[in-house]
Amino acid sequence: MSETCNHDCGSCSQNCSERQQDPKSFLEAPHQMSNIRKVIGVVSGKGGVGKTMVTSMLAVLLNRKGYNTAVLDADVTGPSIPKAFGIREKAQGSEWGLLPCKSKTGIDIMSVNLLLEDDTAPVVWRGPIIAGTVKQFWTDVIWSDVDFMFVDMPPGTGDVPLTVFQSIPLDGIVIVTSPQELVSMIVAKAVNMAKMMNIPILGIVENMSYVKCPHCDEELKVFGESHLDEVASQHGLRILGRVPMDPDLAKACDQGVVELFEGGWLDGAAELIENME
């Protein structure tokens, strides 16, 4: 450290020992009454790829295995987790902190839509306020006895994903993508951000992978041939599943009964998460 150091590392170009801080120093402690075993982020480099659907399905699958699961909806400006689970009541609080809502099968849910009087009211907030809200979902909500928490991240690599990566001790992330050719660049952005933040990547899920013909069971590639194998190989990622464009699955989410979905597309992903050390 220089003798003239003013302790403002943001304005200093020196690479002294004082600025070699552990990245984990930004981590926030959960609520003192919380007990969370594993935290998995579900991310995508762009919007509209079905990240919320994959998040919901993974929480449901681990719940079916007998684990206590939870979903922290970090997509503050586009919260759709409550709708997928059919939750209409609002989150309650006590003198100790906020309490998550429970789904029909007992999955703990916290989302900004559970705090707004009107579900359709837009969240017109600046980035720092949105990021602070997500952080409070971790620090001020009482997540009691959760085996696996899934964090539904907003798309991209901006303020909120950065806040989650820095503030919440993620045990790993799942990247969600689609079959379009543009996906290679988008996945690379998500992979590189995770590597910069030293977050383990559990693998990649391709959503909208195909449509199965109801008459002959042929798999129709609506978006053309998938580039998933190529992209996964390029980045050394494990393929965790391919989810089709399934009308029944979409209907279950729209009607708030995602917990009733049928299909084994993500069974391998759920098994991998279940066996995380």
Side-chain angles (χ1 to χ4, degrees), residues 74-97:
D75 195 352
V76 175
T77 58
S80 48
I81 286 291
K83 179 174 176 59
F85 284 90
I87 299 176
R88 295 179 176 83
E89 66 271 19
K90 300 303 178 183
Q92 302 296 315
S94 70
E95 59 181 310
W96 301 106

Side-chain angles (χ1 to χ4, degrees), residues 38 61 84 101 206 248 267:
K38 294 289 183 182
L61 287 173
C101 291
E206 183 178 74
D248 291 334
D267 286 351

Side-chain angles (χ1 to χ4, degrees), residues 58-107:
L58 288 174
V60 170
L61 287 173
L62 269 299
N63 178 260
R64 288 177 181 175
K65 288 174 172 284
Y67 296 102
N68 295 326
T69 61
V71 179
L72 189 161
D73 189 357
D75 195 352
V76 175
T77 58
S80 48
I81 286 291
K83 179 174 176 59
F85 284 90
I87 299 176
R88 295 179 176 83
E89 66 271 19
K90 300 303 178 183
Q92 302 296 315
S94 70
E95 59 181 310
W96 301 106
L98 281 171
L99 301 173
C101 291
K102 283 194 177 290
S103 72
K104 300 174 185 67
T105 61
I107 298 174

Side-chain angles (χ1 to χ4, degrees), residues 17 33 45 60 88 131 136 146 157 171 181 202 223 227 259:
S17 60
M33 297 176 66
V60 170
R88 295 179 176 83
Q136 284 184 291
V146 172
T157 56
D171 295 286
E181 189 168 355
L202 302 180
F223 294 106
H227 297 269
E259 290 160 294

Side-chain angles (χ1 to χ4, degrees), residues 69-192:
T69 61
V71 179
L72 189 161
D73 189 357
D75 195 352
V76 175
T77 58
S80 48
I81 286 291
K83 179 174 176 59
F85 284 90
I87 299 176
R88 295 179 176 83
E89 66 271 19
K90 300 303 178 183
Q92 302 296 315
S94 70
E95 59 181 310
W96 301 106
L98 281 171
L99 301 173
C101 291
K102 283 194 177 290
S103 72
K104 300 174 185 67
T105 61
I107 298 174
D108 288 328
I109 309 285
M110 178 52 70
S111 170
V112 74
N113 259 14
L114 302 179
L115 303 174
L116 300 175
E117 290 186 12
D118 182 0
D119 289 350
T120 62
V123 179
V124 188
W125 298 345
R126 298 283 187 183
I129 298 177
I130 295 174
T133 299
V134 172
K135 192 182 297 185
Q136 284 184 291
F137 285 169
W138 173 255
T139 60
D140 296 0
V141 175
I142 302 173
W143 302 97
S144 59
D145 198 24
V146 172
D147 293 310
F148 297 99
M149 171 183 284
F150 296 90
V151 182
D152 185 18
M153 305 266 279
T157 56
D159 280 352
V160 179
L162 180 60
T163 296
V164 173
F165 280 2
Q166 288 185 323
S167 304
I168 300 177
L170 296 174
D171 295 286
I173 64 168
V174 173
I175 297 176
V176 182
T177 186
S178 59
Q180 292 134 314
E181 189 168 355
L182 178 66
V183 77
S184 178
M185 178 187 69
I186 300 301
V187 170
K189 289 181 180 292
V191 168
N192 290 333

